[in-house]
Amino acid sequence: MSVITINADKCKKDNLCVEECPFNLFLEGKDGIPELADGYEDFCVNCGHCISICPGEAITLNGLNGADCEKTNRKLYPTKEQISQLLRTRRSIRNFKDQDVDKKDITDLIELSRWAPTAKNLQPVHWLVLTDKDMIHKCSALVVDWFREINRCPEVVEAFDNGVDMINRDAPCLLIAHASTDELRPVSDCSIAATTIELAAPAYGIGACWAGFFMGAAINYKPLMEYLNLPEKHLTYAALMLGIPKHRYSRIPPRVPARVEWR
């Protein structure tokens, strides 16, 4: 249950909270001071829009108001050109240096993912970080066992038998996003969080690639699920291989035109 209070002395009567609340929990008051809708406590998702938008720091949400929040620094916003370069140069990195990824960098990336959107702001994403080479190799071996069992990707199995890991690519870090099956939108929430990390990783000198083979086995192959030992009712919904890129790309390949219909 959320608790919201409005300091009438600080309120600038701009009704920004009324306009911005996703669930219309703020109502226009007769004296210009917003009022709270009956039963708002049960509908508030603690998104923080109200304390973020209020210029007078008049709103307190669960004991916190604007004064407790970090200020937005618009001078640090990337330009359109910088965003374009970041997104168009994104590559799935599958060749990594034989070098550990700095634990602080991984921690910073996970920290950034906390601001990724989640359904109703439930923030259900959990992370499992594997940096032990033997554990990552064991995960790859279990995926290969699954492939043998379902007669899938024989070329990947053969490569693994010959010492080439096409599952987790000898990545020094396997980052796994998991959540309870009881959550509202666990697939979307974990996927968006992982995508946030993938896009932010280059700023730390880290390359990323979605661990698709691993993800398929992690929700279908019981021995791998048991090896991961996630909390009860939790499933793997996203996974990334992380590492220092072995090579540097210098071109942006073309893509098919966007398929768009305007109505």
Side-chain angles (χ1 to χ4, degrees):
M1 184 178 73
S2 300
V3 178
I4 301 173
T5 59
I6 302 173
N7 186 325
D9 294 332
K10 291 186 175 181
C11 180
K12 296 184 178 298
K13 303 180 181 181
D14 48 30
N15 279 326
L16 292 176
C17 56
V18 177
E19 295 182 26
E20 286 296 322
C21 179
F23 294 96
N24 300 321
L25 304 183
F26 291 86
L27 307 174
E28 292 187 32
K30 295 180 180 179
D31 57 355
I33 306 296
E35 299 176 354
L36 290 164
D38 292 337
Y40 78 87
E41 302 96 335
D42 297 325
F43 293 97
C44 177
V45 297
N46 294 299
C47 67
H49 270 26
C50 54
I51 58 176
S52 180
I53 198 69
C54 180
E57 300 178 351
I59 298 173
T60 299
L61 171 64
N62 295 330
L64 300 174
N65 64 23
D68 302 303
C69 300
E70 181 182 355
K71 288 187 177 181
T72 301
N73 187 348
R74 298 191 180 277
K75 292 181 179 179
L76 295 179
Y77 275 31
T79 64
K80 288 188 290 185
E81 290 77 13
Q82 290 169 333
I83 286 292
S84 174
Q85 187 71 189
L86 172 67
L87 298 181
R88 293 190 301 120
T89 58
R90 188 215 66 84
R91 308 304 303 169
S92 295
I93 304 301
R94 297 181 177 88
N95 290 291
F96 305 99
K97 293 182 178 180
D98 186 14
Q99 176 182 339
D100 293 337
V101 181
D102 190 281
K103 183 177 180 180
K104 183 180 183 305
D105 288 341
I106 298 174
T107 301
D108 287 348
L109 288 169
I110 292 175
E111 180 73 6
L112 287 175
S113 77
R114 296 197 297 122
W115 278 270
T118 58
K120 295 191 73 173
N121 195 38
L122 292 174
Q123 303 176 46
V125 183
H126 292 67
W127 296 99
L128 173 61
V129 186
L130 299 185
T131 56
D132 183 280
K133 292 182 179 180
D134 291 337
M135 293 187 70
I136 296 174
H137 185 78
K138 176 64 174 179
C139 287
S140 296
L142 287 169
V143 175
V144 169
D145 289 345
W146 181 55
F147 282 174
R148 295 186 205 275
E149 187 174 297
I150 64 176
N151 193 28
R152 180 183 176 188
C153 300
E155 68 283 356
V156 175
V157 174
E158 182 180 2
F160 190 81
D161 290 342
N162 291 321
V164 179
D165 181 6
M166 296 180 66
I167 306 298
N168 291 315
R169 304 282 176 167
D170 295 318
C173 176
L174 183 60
L175 184 61
I176 300 166
H178 60 95
S180 170
T181 56
D182 290 335
E183 296 293 347
L184 184 61
R185 295 286 186 271
V187 176
S188 299
D189 293 344
C190 289
S191 297
I192 294 171
T195 298
T196 299
I197 287 178
E198 182 193 20
L199 292 176
Y204 292 80
I206 297 173
C209 181
W210 284 77
F213 289 146
F214 169 84
M215 289 165 58
I219 60 174
N220 288 291
Y221 190 52
K222 189 174 181 180
L224 178 54
M225 297 169 73
E226 291 177 345
Y227 183 71
L228 294 176
N229 193 29
L230 300 180
E232 185 178 0
K233 300 183 75 172
H234 276 229
L235 288 178
T236 296
Y237 290 110
L240 295 173
M241 297 172 262
L242 299 178
I244 308 303
K246 188 175 182 179
H247 307 292
R248 188 185 296 268
Y249 292 87
S250 57
R251 298 288 186 274
I252 301 175
R255 292 293 178 96
V256 299
R259 289 159 284 245
V260 183
E261 180 181 357
W262 295 81
R263 294 188 179 182

